[in-house]
Amino acid sequence: MSVFDLSLAAARDALRSRSVSATELTRAYLDAAEALNPQLNAYITITPDEALAQAKAADAALAAGTAGALAGIPVAVKDLYCTKGVRTTAGSRILAPFVPPYESTVTAKMLAEGAVFLGKANLDEFAMGSSTGTSAYGPATNPWRRRNETTKLVPGGSSGGSAAAVAARIALGATATDTGGSIRQPASFCGVTGIKPTYGRCSRWGVVAYGSSLDQPGPIGRSVEDCAILLGAMAGHDPKDSTSANLPVPDFAAACRRGVKGLRIGVPREYRVEGMSAEIDAIWRQGLDWLREAGAEVVDVSLPHTRYGLATYYIVAPAEASSNLARYDGVRFGARSEGADLVELYQNTRADGFGAEVKRRIMIGTYVLSAGYYDAYYLRAQKVRALIRKDFTDAFRDVDALLAPTAPTAAFGQDENMEDPVTMYLNDVFTVPVNLAGIPGLSVPAGLDGAGLPLGLQVLGRPFDEETVFAVGAALERAAGFSATPAIRAGEGA
Ligand code: GLN
């Protein structure tokens, strides 16, 4: 057994009992990250000096008995979180020279609990995408391969670097963000676990903004319990984010042990979409059987406005993005392309700094917000969003949680789905309604498809009821006993 076999929870216990030191653990993870990153491109930046200094501090705290919840745990940070003194690119050329003078609230909380940051994880540019294919730093690669194939697959997106790093065991956990599925879909594609908390559970302060009414930080981990431990350290009220909720942070890890006896689980019938593979349908039915066997009651529910989810999301998210990205003008921070006058400087900076997908979204967003089209698109989308939220509110009157597939496909090839943006958007069909409604969603690996690729199921819950979501997720995890491992991972044959 190697240190890479330890879950976050097990590593925490090993660190506390001093059977491994934070420095040893960190060094092992750094070496593995350096060795595998050329194949995976999961990290944009690896920070060995900072990581080893943090590990040393964690060892001192462990020895003194003052260790926090994440003392000595090596994690990856999505390169959307501002990290003081460490370059933060958001996957964009326009932020290539940006070294934040401050730390995001979530990462500051994790550091206060003793976490060790190995580096900054790859992502789609400004978190816009479902594959990391829009990253200005090259795509990340999924550590899984189809059986008897060498085709490189996407890790999902936008938090694909975070999910790939956790799956390949070159991070023990990771931070991620989810605006329309970016925690859950990569977790599903890489055979790991991720939770998008309720909107407002974690502070967005210091996280580069995409769609501010949808964005939510959350963790990706190896197990449901690992995610619970990470979320416990990340969550909490922050006066610097006016949308962060002033609520106590429950003991999420304890909730994982609650079981599901007596819970009512809803099956949204509109999620049986056309074109969904028979394998995903089968794993979904299997998941429901597992929950039944564990003592839950399964009932059908209806979320009638589901079919408008994608259209609504792809109006609201670009609208907010076009406004949020107006700040990248080459004047205050980030990259600058010179011009003859101020307007030309703006134009050149933005033309050179943004990639094609980001430009497309800025144009869509500007269009739907423009005078004359505002009512027809943006205002209409806001109204439909309210109906989508109401669908969930109505469903949760009857059930405690919902179970659905996380994504309509397994991981696809790096060359697939790239020509046509709309095909890529369709991959978000099951995840975006959750962000529009603001509710929590947890993706758990449930099994493999015929090609040997992982498939995830997502558990959705009431606002601020992550505890039930963790309880159901943990029950699924126990029943699934998912133990398959990807082709590329640390601690193998070394
Ligand atoms: N794939 C979705 C998009 O491109 C979601 C991304 C995200 O959650 N950040 O917008």
Side-chain angles (χ1 to χ4, degrees):
M1 181 157 142
S2 76
V3 288
F4 300 105
D5 296 322
L6 300 173
S7 66
L8 191 156
R12 178 199 55 193
D13 297 344
L15 286 161
R16 296 232 169 112
S17 68
R18 310 301 285 146
S19 58
V20 64
S21 75
T23 303
E24 283 160 359
L25 191 64
T26 299
R27 227 179 251 293
Y29 268 89
L30 282 171
D31 289 349
E34 302 272 11
L36 295 185
N37 206 47
Q39 290 175 72
L40 296 173
N41 201 25
Y43 287 97
I44 293 175
T45 308
I46 298 177
T47 51
D49 295 346
E50 288 83 351
L52 288 167
Q54 288 157 352
K56 200 172 157 198
D59 276 327
L62 285 157
T66 56
L70 297 179
I73 301 292
V75 296
V77 175
K78 185 179 185 179
D79 206 12
L80 201 63
Y81 288 73
C82 288
T83 40
K84 188 175 179 177
V86 174
R87 184 170 81 132
T88 299
T89 69
S92 182
R93 257 194 311 277
I94 212 161
L95 285 180
F98 178 51
V99 178
Y102 54 85
E103 189 75 34
S104 84
T105 296
V106 164
T107 50
K109 278 174 173 291
M110 295 170 78
L111 289 173
E113 293 294 336
V116 172
F117 292 163
L118 299 167
K120 304 300 291 286
N122 203 353
L123 70 161
D124 283 292
E125 186 176 8
F126 285 105
M128 297 174 191
S130 308
S131 69
T132 69
T134 72
S135 170
Y137 302 86
T141 298
N142 194 320
W144 292 79
R145 295 283 182 272
R146 293 183 188 120
R147 209 170 278 130
N148 307 320
E149 265 191 43
T150 54
T151 313
K152 286 187 170 186
L153 305 174
V154 305
S158 63
S159 313
S162 299
V166 173
R169 314 201 295 189
I170 54 175
L172 204 34
T175 73
T177 62
D178 194 313
T179 303
S182 280
I183 290 176
R184 291 160 287 151
Q185 183 255 22
S188 177
F189 279 19
C190 291
V192 293
T193 305
I195 180 165
K196 180 205 99 71
T198 311
Y199 183 79
R201 178 60 92 181
C202 293
S203 169
R204 291 179 295 110
W205 193 83
V207 179
V208 175
Y210 164 15
S212 304
S213 76
L214 302 158
D215 297 344
Q216 182 56 208
I220 290 180
R222 235 181 252 182
S223 69
V224 176
E225 184 188 19
D226 284 6
C227 283
I229 294 168
L230 285 163
L231 183 60
M234 296 167 73
H237 180 240
D238 177 13
K240 288 191 290 216
D241 172 1
S242 61
T243 63
S244 104
N246 197 349
L247 290 172
V249 178
D251 184 344
F252 297 125
C256 297
R257 295 184 286 272
R258 275 186 190 175
V260 295
K261 234 175 222 81
L263 290 185
R264 283 168 68 82
I265 308 293
V267 192
R269 65 174 77 93
E270 291 79 6
Y271 278 50
R272 257 176 233 295
V273 295
E274 223 176 293
M276 187 171 79
S277 83
E279 286 171 316
I280 289 183
D281 196 41
I283 212 112
W284 188 11
R285 287 174 201 277
Q286 174 69 75
L288 294 166
D289 283 344
W290 283 329
L291 292 177
R292 249 185 234 112
E293 283 157 25
E297 188 186 344
V298 173
V299 297
D300 271 358
V301 298
S302 175
L303 301 171
H305 297 90
T306 297
R307 80 181 109 149
Y308 305 114
L310 279 174
T312 305
Y313 174 82
Y314 278 99
I315 290 171
V316 173
E320 294 183 9
S322 72
S323 162
N324 276 326
L325 271 56
R327 72 189 66 168
Y328 304 102
D329 56 8
V331 175
R332 289 160 294 186
F333 55 89
R336 172 185 300 172
S337 302
E338 297 300 337
D341 54 24
L342 185 62
V343 171
E344 212 180 282
L345 179 145
Y346 289 159
Q347 287 173 343
N348 291 345
T349 297
R350 290 169 69 84
D352 297 343
F354 291 137
E357 183 61 30
V358 172
K359 287 176 184 160
R360 183 178 298 126
R361 304 232 183 159
I362 291 173
M363 286 167 69
I364 295 170
T366 310
Y367 180 82
V368 300
L369 289 174
S370 60
Y373 291 105
Y374 184 92
D375 289 1
Y377 292 103
Y378 187 66
L379 204 61
R380 179 66 62 91
Q382 293 290 38
K383 289 179 181 165
V384 180
R385 180 179 186 173
L387 294 173
I388 290 172
R389 190 182 297 130
K390 184 173 176 299
D391 282 357
F392 284 104
T393 309
D394 292 345
F396 285 126
R397 265 196 269 279
D398 186 33
V399 298
D400 300 292
L402 302 168
L403 187 74
T406 304
T409 65
F412 44 86
Q414 278 179 340
D415 305 331
E416 298 159 26
N417 294 352
M418 292 296 172
E419 330 65 47
D420 172 23
V422 175
T423 312
M424 190 67 88
Y425 299 168
L426 294 179
N427 210 262
D428 304 333
V429 61
F430 297 141
T431 47
V432 297
V434 174
N435 301 75
L436 291 166
I439 61 174
L442 168 76
S443 179
V444 181
L448 299 176
D449 72 1
L453 295 180
L455 297 173
L457 291 175
Q458 57 176 341
V459 181
L460 312 179
R462 297 187 180 102
F464 298 106
D465 188 15
E466 284 87 357
E467 289 167 281
T468 299
V469 170
F470 277 121
V472 176
L476 269 181
E477 181 181 58
R478 278 190 294 271
F482 184 86
S483 60
T485 49
I488 302 175
R489 62 190 178 121
E492 285 310 288

